[in-house]
Amino acid sequence: MPATAPIHFTVFPDDCDSYGHLNQASAVRLFERARWAALAAGPGMDAFTRNGVWPAVRKSTVEYRAQAFPGDELRVTLELTHHGHTSFTMRQTAARVGDGTLIAEAEFVFVCVDAADRPAPVPAEISRFFGARPSMRPGETQELPVRGTSLAVDVLGDGDPVLFVHGFPLDRTIWRPMAATLTGRRRIAPDLRGFGRSAPPDGECTLSTYADDLAALLEALGAGRAVVCGHSMGGYIAFEMLRRHRDRVRALVLVNTRAVPDDDEARAARDAMIARVRRDGPGAIVDDLLPRLLAPATRETQPHVVEQVRRAIIGGSGEGVAQALAAMRDRPDSRELLDGIDLPVLVIAGRDDAIVPAAESRAMAAAIPGAHLAMVPDAGHLAPLEQPVNTSRLVGEFLDALA
Ligand code: MLT
């Protein structure tokens, strides 16, 4: 039978034993997490309970093949190998993305039981899902033609759309921890033009270029109005969407971002960075940016986050990064928009943000009628990655309140 699309995980230190390699119990947990993530991205995590059954594990077999360590990215596959009336069997593997090493393989036999603990038929929507309808493949990055370019986008789940707009010089993967938990909504996370797997720009970009791309992307996905969740430069773009595509914006989540434009000093710094990136590529700015993007605590205790950010920066195209710097340098003053925003707004700030100081976020939230400010402890400029659980909970509560 066909397999569903693989799920990716980073190994965290708390997944490991005292020798620093993946603990056997954590491997079982990762396999289970992959199954729920697959459901979350497809029919929903409640696909069993809403059909009145629960999948009880009757048998599990795991073969441990190799060690994995904190920071390793694992690719976990799922394949339905047997489908009976009340039971089904799944084969799963976990392999390291970097070198393809098989870390573990497993087989799980499930029996669906009802509330009285009696075997019950496997729900048809579960069977259909694990039969892998192409439109529901979880975690699959699509490449969509939009306004003469190609944008890479992850689309997960169904429900009210939430558009996640990454900051500079990152990509859609900063939203993965959040997108995995905010189930029950259609989570749309694109790479902006020139970043990640989207095509490099073929001309000058301004904030309106990105805002128009995103409006066209929502149109292409049939997504109507979305809650726009913008991180830093993504927040600048969210303001631009308010200016140009107000009808597409249902509510705003403004994460580690500001309304104030660049002053002369900041503009000069952008010019210097543009010259450097054009000369030496995005790798040349990694060491300057990392200490500003991440809180000291993150740099000391979360090497996998440092590595993910480093990889995202290096992965952008030089011209994409240079164009984004110019777009940010020339961005308009968005303070004039703030008191006219008549949408629900959540402002999220990192207490240790070295780029957008917490006081600036506080002032921005205070200027938007009815906006709520949430301060995330132990987070720098990248709260969604540095404190994913806390940040996702804040966004989840905001989205629940909207619904
Ligand atoms: C970002 O994270 O998008 C940038 O740091 C924003 C900026 O440089 O103004």
Side-chain angles (χ1 to χ4, degrees), residues 152 166 170-172 191-192 194-199 312 315-317:
H166 66 78
L170 304 166
D171 64 21
R172 70 190 189 292
D191 282 333
L192 294 168
F195 290 93
R197 283 175 46 188
S198 289
S317 84

Side-chain angles (χ1 to χ4, degrees), residues 24-314:
Q24 42 147 338
S26 297
V28 174
R29 202 173 61 209
L30 280 189
F31 283 129
E32 174 162 14
R33 186 57 61 83
R35 297 194 297 271
W36 287 116
L39 285 177
M45 280 194 196
D46 60 349
F48 285 97
T49 45
R50 71 169 176 260
N51 282 285
V53 300
W54 184 252
V57 175
R58 196 176 62 197
K59 181 177 162 197
S60 61
T61 318
V62 184
E63 288 190 51
Y64 299 94
R65 302 282 192 190
Q67 297 167 346
F69 299 93
D72 281 354
E73 193 185 353
L74 301 186
R75 179 177 191 271
V76 180
T77 62
L78 305 84
E79 188 184 3
L80 188 69
T81 52
H82 168 78
H83 189 302
H85 181 54
T86 60
S87 70
F88 59 98
T89 303
M90 305 221 61
R91 179 175 182 276
Q92 292 189 257
T93 63
R96 184 165 28 244
V97 171
D99 56 9
T101 303
L102 182 65
I103 307 297
E105 53 190 325
E107 190 176 82
F108 297 94
V109 179
F110 299 86
V111 180
C112 289
V113 291
D114 64 16
D117 220 16
R118 289 178 306 237
V122 181
E125 65 174 324
I126 298 286
S127 318
R128 270 200 311 274
F129 175 63
F130 284 120
R133 282 181 294 154
S135 62
M136 298 186 81
R137 288 192 174 196
E140 194 170 79
T141 303
Q142 307 173 39
E143 275 156 29
L144 291 181
V146 169
R147 294 191 343 111
T149 188
S150 163
L151 294 186
V153 57
D154 290 338
V155 183
L156 296 183
D158 285 319
D160 293 336
V162 183
L163 175 67
F164 291 99
V165 189
H166 66 78
F168 171 90
L170 304 166
D171 64 21
R172 70 190 189 292
T173 62
I174 68 158
W175 300 112
R176 281 202 171 142
M178 192 180 286
T181 54
L182 294 177
T183 57
R185 292 107 188 167
R186 191 172 185 205
R187 287 95 71 198
I188 302 170
D191 282 333
L192 294 168
R193 196 182 268 246
F195 290 93
R197 283 175 46 188
S198 289
D202 55 4
E204 183 188 285
C205 289
T206 62
L207 287 188
S208 56
T209 314
Y210 303 117
D212 292 356
D213 284 352
L214 295 178
L217 178 70
L218 290 176
E219 178 72 29
L221 292 170
R225 287 200 317 158
V227 176
V228 179
C229 178
H231 170 258
S232 198
M233 182 178 81
Y236 310 161
I237 296 169
F239 286 133
E240 195 65 10
M241 288 188 76
L242 270 191
R243 289 192 188 85
R244 298 173 67 84
H245 303 285
R246 172 69 183 74
D247 55 329
R248 290 275 177 201
V249 186
R250 155 95 175 83
L252 285 172
V253 182
L254 300 169
V255 188
N256 299 113
T257 193
R258 52 161 56 108
V260 180
D262 279 7
D263 59 17
D264 288 345
E265 194 185 332
R267 289 168 62 84
R270 302 274 194 211
D271 287 337
M273 204 181 269
I274 291 171
R276 203 154 158 218
V277 166
R278 287 215 165 109
R279 194 181 58 234
D280 302 325
I285 56 174
V286 169
D287 291 337
D288 285 352
L289 282 183
L290 278 175
R292 300 178 60 222
L293 289 171
L294 299 171
T298 309
R299 282 181 278 132
E300 275 159 32
T301 61
Q302 301 197 69
H304 55 286
V305 172
V306 179
E307 196 43 40
Q308 179 177 350
V309 174
R310 181 187 297 280
R311 264 189 265 138
I313 298 175
I314 293 171

